[in-house]
Amino acid sequence: APAHLGVATAPPQFARTLGGTVGVGICGGIVTQRLFSAVQGIAHQGSPDLFPPGFIEKLGRNTEVLFQPEAKATLSHEVRGLLQLAVGDAVGVVFVTVVVVALLCLLACVLLPHDNPLSKG
């Protein structure tokens, strides 16, 4: 009934909100971990002066450092190119993860029972 519309729509909205919150947290963690690992790999393979002093520590606390113009200006063109590849790789992993999870959710929806107990009687 229209009087129960709020009660009927609240659980799906709550599930979407919770799923979005958890999804953003997990995907953010994946991106951060992949970026930080890539930066550490670049630092270990190259010369020690590829990154300015304290850059990797700042990046470990906040990945936004990669996107700040003043921080990017301190990096060489070669390092910026490597970091762009690392960002692309990290975001690509997140997109693949989200597609797999979406397909699993679609499969779960398809496997739900099709009969509606409320329509009987």
Side-chain angles (χ1 to χ4, degrees):
H4 299 289
L5 188 60
V7 174
T9 59
Q13 183 62 32
F14 176 73
R16 275 195 298 272
T17 303
L18 184 61
T21 302
V22 171
V24 167
I26 290 172
C27 292
I30 291 171
V31 168
T32 301
Q33 186 275 328
R34 301 274 307 186
L35 280 176
F36 194 68
S37 293
V39 167
Q40 287 180 323
I42 292 168
H44 290 302
Q45 290 176 357
S47 64
D49 60 339
L50 281 177
F51 294 101
F55 182 84
I56 295 176
E57 290 80 20
K58 286 181 195 174
L59 183 63
R61 289 190 300 266
N62 186 358
T63 56
E64 271 186 42
V65 170
L66 283 179
F67 306 105
Q68 295 172 344
E70 56 274 359
K72 286 181 5 182
T74 63
L75 302 172
S76 70
H77 182 68
E78 176 189 359
V79 172
R80 277 185 283 181
L82 292 171
L83 290 175
Q84 286 175 347
L85 290 174
V87 169
D89 176 58
V91 172
V93 169
V94 167
F95 276 114
V96 169
T97 302
V98 169
V99 166
V100 169
V101 170
L103 290 174
L104 290 173
C105 288
L106 178 63
L107 178 64
C109 288
V110 168
L111 295 176
L112 285 173
H114 296 332
D115 61 332
N116 184 355
L118 298 177
S119 67
K120 296 178 183 174

